[in-house]
Amino acid sequence: MHSKQFALTPRPLEMPFLIILLLIAPTSSAKESKFQNLNISLTQKVDNEGFHRELKWLLERGPTTFDCKLAIQLNVGPEMYLNPDQIADLNRLRHLSVLIDGEVDIETPAHLSTRHIAYIYVPPFEERVSLNIPFHLRYQRAQISGGYGKVIVNKPSVLALCPQSCARSEVKAPCDISNRILCKWNNVSYQALFDEVELLVPVGDLDDYPLVSIVTLLLGCAGCIYTLSVLSTTPL
Ligand SMILES: *[C@@H]1O[C@H](CO)[C@@H](O)[C@H](O)[C@H]1NC(C)=O
């Protein structure tokens, strides 16, 4: 019995082959290896204060030879918006290449607004590229106690169009800014070098409401009286 087991132990010559087998086995069984790894990382910062902000992204990629087109998809919740006119200007000046999918009403407060999706098409780049996207916060409905409302900036998705599949999930999204054709993009996993961003918006105080109404009414009356008095004293 024992002698048989000894016979199974590898001879010195077989050792290198065994080691190579062991090195190959775990990776070939992992599902990930079917997809090329683009080694993408994204840093995100939110600049400026108040209602007018800017998203600052730094997109980096590893030294891959793969020729992929990249886009960032951002789900813009009802508490914020991208201004279509401002985006159109940035597109025209070739500072950015952004497509807004969905209707954007820049006047409505958060609770009367809908979400939209922004596709930010990344220009060709070597190792890293920075993208600055201006966005705006919406007024939120007044609360009893006033204070601050919270706005979560959704985590963006990085999409890639590559000659070869590079992610497990596919997303149908416009191929480019013209929004004429849909492409099957790969939803690429990336290293997020940032925490979830939560912004605060000052919210109106409902306790102030009666006072504000009375003052507004009085000012309106005063204006009327003044206008009437000017009109009645002006010789026709
Ligand atoms: C892409 O994948 C991430 C992580 O799996 C997911 O959270 C995100 O919603 C996906 N994006 C799209 C556009 O499907």
Side-chain angles (χ1 to χ4, degrees):
M1 279 303 246
H2 282 268
S3 59
K4 217 174 185 181
Q5 262 182 5
F6 278 125
L8 276 176
T9 57
R11 280 171 295 163
L13 246 178
E14 287 171 335
M15 263 328 238
F17 295 108
L18 262 181
I19 290 171
I20 290 171
L21 257 181
L22 280 176
L23 285 176
I24 292 173
T27 45
S28 58
S29 64
K31 275 191 176 163
E32 238 82 10
S33 66
K34 265 203 309 208
F35 310 104
Q36 42 176 266
N37 186 1
L38 297 182
N39 267 322
I40 290 177
S41 68
L42 184 69
T43 314
Q44 174 177 276
K45 241 182 70 185
V46 175
D47 239 24
N48 301 348
E49 294 294 313
F51 284 91
H52 307 289
R53 310 282 186 125
E54 191 165 58
L55 262 175
K56 295 197 160 217
W57 284 326
L58 181 69
L59 188 67
E60 292 174 278
R61 74 162 159 216
T64 49
T65 50
F66 307 117
D67 183 23
C68 301
K69 195 173 133 183
L70 297 178
I72 298 180
Q73 189 211 62
L74 182 68
N75 219 324
V76 185
E79 301 87 9
M80 49 193 267
Y81 66 91
L82 265 60
N83 184 335
D85 291 334
Q86 190 180 21
I87 293 297
D89 276 346
L90 291 169
N91 286 342
R92 195 169 41 80
L93 297 170
R94 307 205 180 279
H95 292 319
L96 285 175
S97 182
V98 179
L99 171 68
I100 299 175
D101 190 6
E103 286 297 307
V104 185
D105 187 339
I106 65 167
E107 307 281 346
T108 50
H111 66 279
L112 297 177
S113 304
T114 50
R115 56 183 60 244
H116 47 280
I117 295 177
Y119 297 98
I120 296 94
Y121 297 96
V122 181
F125 67 106
E126 283 296 320
E127 282 167 29
R128 57 180 65 87
V129 62
S130 61
L131 299 156
N132 300 339
I133 319 294
F135 71 98
H136 310 271
L137 301 180
R138 294 186 188 273
Y139 291 98
Q140 298 201 0
R141 201 210 298 255
Q143 295 167 356
I144 302 290
S145 53
Y148 288 89
K150 278 184 203 158
V151 180
I152 305 275
V153 179
N154 292 321
K155 193 180 162 199
S157 298
V158 174
L159 308 181
L161 269 184
C162 300
Q164 219 185 313
S165 177
C166 54
R168 225 169 304 175
S169 67
E170 274 184 344
V171 177
K172 274 204 182 131
C175 299
D176 57 37
I177 194 175
S178 70
N179 197 9
R180 262 173 294 181
I181 313 165
L182 290 181
C183 285
K184 275 189 193 162
W185 295 76
N186 289 293
N187 180 9
V188 184
S189 59
Y190 64 90
Q191 198 187 354
L193 306 173
F194 58 91
D195 295 324
E196 184 177 70
V197 188
E198 193 182 279
L199 306 173
L200 295 177
V201 202
V203 169
D205 191 339
L206 273 186
D207 292 344
D208 292 341
Y209 190 68
L211 181 68
V212 172
S213 315
I214 290 168
V215 170
T216 311
L217 193 67
L218 287 179
L219 280 177
C221 288
C224 277
I225 292 166
Y226 175 75
T227 313
L228 284 176
S229 69
V230 169
L231 281 179
S232 58
T233 54
T234 313
L236 289 170

